[in-house]
Amino acid sequence: QVQLVESGGGLVQPGGSVRVSCAASGFSVSDYVLTWYRQAAEKERELVAALKTGGMTDFADSVKGRFTLSRDNAKNTVYLQMNSLKPEDTAVYYCNAKLIVESGRLLADYWGQGTQVTVSS
C-alpha cells in the first residue's frame, strides 16, 4: 500500500543537528515532488523545503543555509538534514509527496504521520 513514514525526530540542543527521514512504499520517490512541512504548537503549517523530480531544491527563508535535502532512490527515502537548530525550529515535521504533471494538475497527494523535533536546552 502507499505509505510515507517519517522518523528521526527527538530532543536536540540549540545549535545542534538532526536528520529526519521519510521512507516511501507503494510508489517511487523519484517520480514525485517531495516536500517537508512543519507545524509548531498552535501555529499554522508552513513549508520548509521541497525537492523536485529533477533534483532541484527550494527552502524557506527561515531555514536557508541551515537545512539541506537529499534523496536515496535505492532506499526510496528522502532526508532533511537540519543544522544550527534554533528553538523556533521546534515543530512536528511532515513529509508530503505529490504527483504533478506539466500542466500543473495534481494526480496524487500523500502525507506521512509526522515526527516531533524539539529544540531546547
Side-chain angles (χ1 to χ4, degrees):
Q1 289 202 333
V2 172
Q3 190 175 24
L4 287 173
V5 179
E6 298 97 331
S7 62
L11 178 63
V12 60
Q13 293 185 349
S17 299
V18 68
R19 187 182 73 167
V20 291
S21 302
C22 177
S25 60
F27 69 97
S28 175
V29 297
S30 63
D31 297 327
Y32 285 67
V33 176
L34 274 298
T35 305
W36 285 95
Y37 295 84
R38 68 185 182 187
Q39 187 168 18
E42 301 180 1
K43 290 184 176 292
E44 293 184 351
R45 184 178 62 191
E46 64 175 341
L47 188 148
V48 178
L51 176 64
K52 308 294 185 180
T53 54
M56 296 182 62
T57 57
D58 197 11
F59 297 90
D61 289 340
S62 60
V63 306
K64 283 183 179 177
R66 300 189 296 121
F67 291 10
T68 58
L69 275 171
S70 63
R71 179 179 64 206
D72 188 333
N73 291 334
K75 296 181 179 179
N76 208 28
T77 300
V78 296
Y79 305 93
L80 180 65
Q81 178 69 45
M82 299 184 283
N83 303 316
S84 302
L85 284 164
K86 306 173 181 179
E88 49 263 45
D89 295 318
T90 296
V92 177
Y93 284 75
Y94 296 94
C95 180
N96 171 259
K98 287 184 171 65
L99 181 60
I100 305 172
V101 297
E102 293 296 327
S103 64
R105 291 177 58 198
L106 177 64
L107 272 60
D109 187 1
Y110 305 128
W111 288 89
Q113 83 291 340
T115 184
Q116 175 72 46
V117 175
T118 301
V119 184
S120 176
S121 60

